[in-house]
Amino acid sequence: MITDIVIGLQHGDEGKGKVTHHLLKNGGYTHCVRFNGGCNAGHTIFHNGKKFVTHHIPAGVFFGVTSVIGNGCVVDPTKLQEEINYLESHGINVRDNLRIANNAHVITPFHKAEDRAEEKIGTTRTGNGPAYRDKYGRTGVRACDIPDLQPFLVDIYEELAGDTVVLMEGAQGFWLDPDWGDYPYVTSSHTGTAAAIQNGISPRSIRNVWGIIKAYETYVGARKFQPDDEIFDRIQKAGQEFGATTGRVRQCNWVNLKEVKQAIAMNGVNRLVVNKMDVLREVNSWGTTERKIHSERFFREHLNRELHNGLGVDKIYFSDNPENIYESSPHHEWSPDYSYAIST
Ligand code: IMP
Ligand code: MG
């Protein structure tokens, strides 16, 4: 078993779906596994130039790779069926490639009704929190109890054991983790590398941990996140920052490198992807929560310098389009006037 893991290092919507799709496109994987969350997730994926939004189903189905909904997930059988129909109506073969861990928990209509009445933290209202509460309260329903799910069920340990190459596709982001996020403004499943490991893989099998960020940050939910400055409205518009699951406007801010560094360190990230550079280019503004930066070049250099800095990241990739990522030199070009280019 060889395992690569893709996780978000911010508050979700970093572009994990795109990176997962990109890695799968290059081949070599026998399995793609979703390891946390439920249909609260919305992964936007461009496949052969067409836009898809997935919630439960791992991106492996786009390439005929066996795709497993892991035991760390909660599954809504109705939404899952809708998603299978939606993908199959666009020619994606889901049925032959989808597997569900028999010990994954189920989101019931009661969970959804309860979550729809939620007003405190601004959940996605998909029944996620109540389903995890019942899992840990030992009153939950599991996939193995649901007749409609039977054709897809597997023992995830047996499915992944042996000569496999597994890509773990995370959902949400490290700063929505119930322990590490701004509680109670968090999701209900763990979101980091530790969560991936709980899904039938050996910690010793891990090859790469891909940490994904956007060049800025977004958050959806009830807490105030966006500072009062019109630049963030411009970023929201340029980035088309609407929730893929709920359609809510995403609040925006500059990238918080202190949080990104902690997430890199705590999750063993060795590959970092910085998405949506094109958005800051469009609004022609660059910065972090700590400082304004004058140009794209200095922004790249700043990120290269800060994030390679003894944290274990050996490659940084950038992206400025919905489909691809490209590698950036780890050794930023030192510019003598660098310090002048950054005003604190
Ligand atoms: P829940 O996961 O639906 O319970 O929502 C809890 C918090 O996590 C809310 O602030 C949601 O907006 C946020 N959240 C959950 N899933 C995602 C996601 O996939 N992307 C971004 N935010 C999410
Ligand atoms: Mg999303």
Side-chain angles (χ1 to χ4, degrees):
M1 180 190 292
I2 295 171
T3 306
D4 289 341
I5 300 174
V6 174
I7 54 172
L9 305 183
Q10 295 167 325
H11 300 83
D13 307 313
E14 300 92 349
K16 297 175 290 295
K18 178 182 81 174
V19 174
T20 306
H21 184 270
H22 175 88
L23 295 174
L24 289 162
K25 187 162 54 187
N26 293 339
Y29 293 102
T30 60
H31 292 80
C32 178
V33 179
R34 283 280 315 273
F35 61 84
N36 70 308
C39 48
N40 51 351
H43 288 182
T44 304
I45 289 170
F46 285 82
H47 183 68
N48 296 334
K50 200 173 161 0
K51 179 178 167 179
F52 292 89
V53 177
T54 63
H55 300 286
H56 277 316
I57 299 179
V61 295
F62 291 101
F63 301 97
V65 170
T66 302
S67 294
V68 188
I69 297 175
N71 52 284
C73 298
V74 287
V75 188
D76 175 345
T78 314
K79 286 273 173 214
L80 178 71
Q81 192 58 53
E82 283 171 19
E83 199 175 332
I84 294 172
N85 295 345
Y86 154 70
L87 290 172
E88 295 223 319
S89 74
H90 289 94
I92 311 296
N93 181 352
V94 179
R95 262 160 232 284
D96 292 337
N97 297 308
L98 183 65
R99 312 280 186 272
I100 301 173
N102 55 19
N103 50 347
H105 274 249
V106 168
I107 301 171
T108 68
F110 298 104
H111 293 146
K112 287 192 275 189
E114 192 180 341
D115 204 20
R116 275 198 290 272
E118 198 282 332
E119 279 178 351
K120 197 167 96 185
I121 72 133
T123 71
T124 58
R125 304 183 159 199
T126 48
N128 200 66
Y132 280 109
R133 180 201 58 211
D134 284 355
K135 170 178 175 172
Y136 292 104
R138 293 167 297 214
T139 55
V141 178
R142 293 185 302 168
C144 57
D145 302 320
I146 304 293
D148 289 356
L149 298 180
Q150 298 299 317
F152 302 111
L153 297 185
V154 291
D155 175 317
I156 194 169
Y157 168 71
E158 286 174 5
E159 179 65 38
L160 300 181
D163 205 7
T164 53
V165 186
V166 184
L167 183 60
M168 311 293 286
E169 177 183 1
Q172 289 85 48
F174 189 65
W175 294 102
L176 287 175
D177 184 278
D179 285 336
W180 297 101
D182 185 14
Y183 190 89
Y185 299 98
V186 295
T187 191
S188 297
S189 63
H190 293 294
T191 55
T193 297
I197 294 168
Q198 288 282 14
N199 285 250
I201 63 153
S202 163
R204 291 181 192 274
S205 70
I206 297 172
R207 177 174 58 185
N208 292 315
V209 180
W210 290 81
I212 319 302
I213 64 173
K214 279 194 288 217
Y216 50 96
E217 299 207 9
T218 60
Y219 160 82
V220 275
R223 80 175 161 117
K224 181 170 162 57
F225 181 80
Q226 182 169 314
D228 297 322
D229 184 329
E230 56 84 34
I231 182 61
F232 300 113
D233 295 327
R234 285 168 50 212
I235 290 173
Q236 190 274 330
K237 283 196 184 65
Q240 288 290 300
E241 295 293 354
F242 296 97
T245 300
T246 58
R248 290 179 289 181
V249 169
R250 294 176 182 149
Q251 300 184 58
C252 299
N253 196 352
W254 301 120
V255 61
N256 182 328
L257 291 188
K258 187 166 172 275
E259 289 186 355
V260 169
K261 283 183 197 176
Q262 185 177 334
I264 288 171
M266 286 189 61
N267 290 289
V269 171
N270 67 326
R271 300 279 158 94
L272 182 76
V273 181
V274 185
N275 275 321
K276 287 199 151 180
M277 292 290 285
D278 49 320
V279 173
L280 293 191
R281 202 177 290 154
E282 189 176 326
V283 299
N284 195 21
S285 287
W286 304 88
T288 70
T289 49
E290 296 195 326
R291 51 184 52 171
K292 187 151 179 52
I293 297 178
H294 285 191
S295 71
E296 173 168 0
R297 179 173 158 222
F298 290 126
F299 182 78
R300 281 172 195 261
E301 289 182 1
H302 186 60
L303 259 53
N304 264 315
R305 196 172 55 153
E306 288 288 312
L307 300 177
H308 271 124
N309 208 353
L311 291 166
V313 171
D314 44 50
K315 284 189 177 159
I316 298 187
Y317 299 76
F318 287 91
S319 173
D320 50 20
N321 67 59
E323 296 195 43
N324 300 317
I325 60 178
Y326 53 86
E327 197 180 334
S328 146
S329 163
H331 309 289
H332 76 276
E333 293 160 38
W334 177 258
S335 144
D337 58 355
Y338 182 69
S339 54
Y340 298 109
I342 297 173
S343 51
T344 49

